[in-house]
Amino acid sequence: MAEFPIVTESPLLALPDAVAAPTGTPDAGLPWHHGDPLGEQRAATLGVAVIDRSTRFVIAISGEERLSWLHTISSQHVAALPDGTSAENLSLDTNGRIEHHFVQTDLDGVTWIDTEPGRGPDLLAFLTKMVFWAKAEPRDGNELAVLSLLGPQSGDPRVLAALGLEALPDRPYAAVPLPGGGFVRRMPWPTDHSYDLLVPRERLVEVFGALTAAGARAAGTWAFEALRVEAVRPRIGLDTDERTIPHEARWVGAPDRFGAVHLDKGCYRGQETVARVENLGKPPRHLVLLHLDGSADGRPEPGDPVTADGRTVGRLGTVVDHHELGPIALALVKRTVPAGTALVAGPCAAAIDADSVPDDTGVQAGRLAVERLRGR
């Protein structure tokens, strides 16, 4: 496979209050916090905070057929994605298992994709291999770097002035250009007021400094992850494993449902599994929020088994301390495990948050048709 450059460390780690994320974690190379991780979470919830996520791998795709081509090789309906609009998307293998999750934005004739740091090169290699004769040209787009602006005061006039904007996008997945290059898009998570800024990488320190000078709280990835876990939004490779299918990870749905898999689009790799689960079956596992016993000696690790009466019933994902909920985690747990089951994750007792359990009690259309054919 060809070698592609990966941004491994942010220049914002040089800030005097920046504490680096632990090595060996997906956010290594970024500020984990700026001295007050729980206060930073509160700012992102009640005020406004800016978070450095600049190690995310960015891909740019040009060419007049970029959207129709991408539509054929991914799970989301993006063939006619309007200019200034975004969507979440997946690449699946032939068995419907998730290989890549990415966010894409189409703006001024270019589709911008950002994905996990360690997975970007593989995704770019896959896209390049799949071009064939289409008029689409994927390339490394790491000239842009990702920041996230969170909180209900993100539209404060001082913050807008720092960005050179009159207003932020008013609906999820909408995107507008930034005067100094790049763009801002509204996201439906991890909070109700979430915006991704893709800015020229050479201006990363400048933009971050302008936002903090305008009143935004400098926050680390700890804050973003805590709010993401609270929102029960998965992160590929952390909250998923090599067997995970879209229904398990809550990624099924069109952009207006904040999903990454459209159920009414043409053929794509892995579609058969998605259709079979949607119409005839149930996913073997589902993603839930776990509350962990904070008095335990230590914390579990992502990938640890979740057990009930000594029997493995799930897999632990992201583990984080939340400013209100305490220690929480995401986990893929067998669908048949009731919410009230006493669980153990690593050294901690754990309990499923009942409100996080997806409702899958409905009868699928395909199953209903089968029952009618059988005269039931």
Side-chain angles (χ1 to χ4, degrees), residues 40-371:
E40 293 162 23
Q41 292 177 40
R42 285 190 287 271
T45 304
L46 302 174
V48 55
V50 58
I51 299 170
D52 180 10
R53 301 173 66 217
S54 61
T55 58
R56 280 182 69 79
F57 195 95
V58 182
I59 297 169
I61 307 174
S62 57
E64 60 187 78
E65 295 177 343
R66 65 191 181 281
L67 289 175
S68 58
W69 163 75
L70 194 57
H71 180 87
T72 65
I73 60 172
S74 61
S75 62
Q76 188 57 278
H77 198 300
V78 295
L81 194 68
D83 182 69
T85 306
S86 309
E88 295 181 61
N89 209 337
L90 301 177
S91 174
L92 308 176
D93 69 12
T94 55
N95 294 310
R97 295 165 178 162
I98 302 166
E99 290 188 334
H100 297 283
H101 169 261
F102 53 93
V103 186
Q104 65 178 94
T105 299
D106 202 69
L107 194 64
D108 295 333
V110 177
T111 294
W112 296 93
I113 283 174
D114 58 287
T115 189
E116 291 291 335
R119 292 175 177 262
D122 283 345
L123 178 57
L124 179 53
F126 169 73
L127 294 174
T128 302
K129 180 178 68 175
M130 295 300 292
V131 170
F132 300 118
W133 55 83
K135 295 179 181 177
E137 300 175 8
R139 64 169 179 82
D140 178 347
N142 276 311
E143 68 265 24
L144 295 185
V146 181
L147 297 171
S148 285
L149 193 66
L150 306 181
Q153 296 179 23
S154 295
D156 182 280
R158 296 174 299 164
V159 175
L160 294 176
L163 294 173
L165 295 175
E166 294 185 358
L168 291 167
D170 60 358
R171 66 186 189 281
Y173 298 127
V176 297
L178 288 170
F183 59 90
V184 54
R185 69 170 173 238
R186 185 163 186 165
M187 292 294 291
W189 57 274
T191 73
D192 292 335
H193 304 89
S194 298
Y195 305 87
D196 286 342
L197 311 173
L198 278 83
V199 302
R201 189 165 295 276
E202 68 271 13
R203 297 190 60 225
L204 175 66
V205 176
E206 173 192 343
V207 173
F208 192 92
L211 289 170
T212 54
R217 178 78 176 265
T221 58
W222 184 335
F224 189 92
E225 291 295 273
L227 299 175
R228 177 182 65 80
V229 171
E230 180 188 14
V232 197
R233 301 294 304 204
R235 187 171 181 179
I236 189 169
L238 196 59
D239 304 304
T240 66
D241 57 22
E242 68 282 354
R243 299 183 292 117
T244 308
I245 59 176
H247 280 85
E248 293 179 319
R250 304 177 182 233
W251 268 325
V252 174
D256 61 355
R257 292 181 57 195
F258 311 148
V261 178
H262 201 291
L263 295 172
D264 298 317
K265 62 163 288 187
C267 184
Y268 57 92
R269 190 173 66 170
Q271 182 192 27
E272 182 179 350
T273 296
V274 172
R276 185 168 60 249
V277 174
E278 178 67 19
N279 291 300
L280 293 172
K282 304 281 188 183
R285 304 175 294 177
H286 51 207
L287 188 74
V288 296
L289 175 67
L290 294 185
H291 295 276
L292 304 176
D293 179 5
S295 66
D297 185 14
R299 293 280 189 271
E301 297 288 337
D304 281 353
V306 178
T307 63
D309 292 327
R311 177 175 57 94
T312 297
V313 296
R315 174 197 181 276
L316 201 66
T318 309
V319 180
V320 68
D321 285 327
H322 187 278
H323 71 107
E324 288 185 337
L325 301 177
I328 55 176
L330 292 179
L332 282 171
V333 175
K334 289 182 178 180
R335 185 178 53 82
T336 54
V337 177
T341 304
L343 302 175
V344 175
C348 297
I352 297 173
D353 187 309
D355 291 336
S356 75
V357 177
D359 180 11
D360 61 358
T361 57
V363 180
Q364 299 99 318
R367 180 63 60 190
L368 185 61
V370 169
E371 295 301 318

